[in-house]
Amino acid sequence: MIDRFKYREDREAYSAARVRALEALLIKKGIITDKTVDTVLEFFATKMGPFNGAKIVARAWVDPAFKERLVTNTPQAIAELDLPAGMAGAEGEHMRAVANGSGVHNLIICTLCSCYPWPVLGLPPYWYKDPTFRSRAAREPRAVLNEFGLQIANDVEIKVWDSSAQIRWFVIPERPEGTEEMSETELETLVTPEAMMGVAVSRAT
Ligand code: FE
């Protein structure tokens, strides 16, 4: 997303080679097959990802009672919707939604590692795991959001939510102005993973 949190090319190449070696070893030992990694990646590209989060947020935008339930008991509210099986499965346990609005902007991070609600957001982008991003977002969220191109007014409180294996947070962004005539399906297209992490807001265009 922003260059500042990108790793150097040689570090990327080293990590990729290491992962390939580990995968080859696991296949050789019969712990996984040559399909396992691709299967997992495809699952999180096609079944579990930000398209689910977009459906949840769009419903919250059109149905205030659902939004209330979503904030109060996130897994139960998500279970009301027609989403793929396994929303409460891997990395989807203990999900909790927080809503932007009325002088509050929310940002999710994981200071410890990379905890992230996979079923609603997919696999975390690697800058989310970057130690510099993680520590700075906790210490100076306003400055970090500025670097992401998001200016939060000084009278708006920024709440930073630290995800863990016990709670995995995601943000319900505010419904953009000028979208009153849009259908729920059209609204889904305005909900980006960045907005559900709080490093961006949803916009009408
Ligand atoms: Fe973590």
Side-chain angles (χ1 to χ4, degrees):
M1 163 165 276
I2 52 175
D3 289 346
R4 161 176 213 109
F5 298 113
K6 272 194 171 166
Y7 293 147
R8 284 167 37 195
E9 291 289 326
D10 58 346
R11 180 170 168 181
E12 292 287 353
Y14 174 79
S15 298
R18 204 158 173 239
V19 167
R20 274 198 303 275
L22 274 170
E23 185 186 0
L25 198 59
L26 289 167
I27 292 168
K28 196 175 161 194
K29 287 182 175 287
I31 295 167
I32 63 173
T33 74
D34 59 356
K35 304 275 187 300
T36 307
V37 172
D38 288 344
T39 304
V40 171
L41 289 178
E42 199 200 310
F43 183 66
F44 285 102
T46 60
K47 296 276 192 303
M48 296 290 161
F51 31 86
N52 293 329
K55 282 190 180 140
I56 295 163
V57 168
R59 176 62 59 86
W61 282 351
V62 300
D63 183 346
F66 175 78
K67 183 179 172 184
E68 187 64 38
R69 292 198 295 281
L70 184 60
V71 170
T72 315
N73 189 333
T74 305
Q76 205 172 304
I78 289 175
E80 293 175 29
L81 302 183
D82 186 22
L83 292 167
M87 289 298 292
E91 305 294 317
E93 311 93 343
H94 324 298
M95 290 196 291
R96 276 191 67 183
V98 280
N100 286 347
S102 60
V104 176
H105 179 86
N106 297 286
L107 171 67
I108 62 156
I109 57 173
C110 173
T111 52
L112 188 67
C113 43
S114 60
C115 297
Y116 196 68
W118 294 10
V120 296
L121 286 181
L123 300 174
Y126 65 82
W127 53 261
Y128 183 80
K129 311 174 199 175
D130 183 274
T132 308
F133 169 78
R134 282 152 43 196
S135 57
R136 286 195 52 223
R139 203 171 60 240
E140 43 175 358
R142 208 172 291 270
V144 169
L145 291 179
N146 255 312
E147 290 166 29
F148 274 83
L150 183 60
Q151 275 83 44
I152 300 295
N154 280 330
D155 60 350
V156 173
E157 182 191 1
I158 299 175
K159 288 189 179 172
V160 181
W161 301 89
D162 194 3
S163 285
S164 68
Q166 280 73 45
I167 302 181
R168 296 184 182 86
W169 302 96
F170 67 94
V171 176
I172 308 168
E174 282 191 283
R175 179 172 177 165
E177 282 177 30
T179 59
E180 294 74 16
E181 304 301 317
M182 291 176 81
S183 70
E184 194 173 332
T185 313
E186 288 168 329
L187 288 170
E188 284 174 26
T189 65
L190 306 181
V191 187
T192 62
E194 288 79 17
M196 291 184 280
M197 300 170 68
V199 297
V201 293
S202 283
R203 298 190 194 281
T205 48

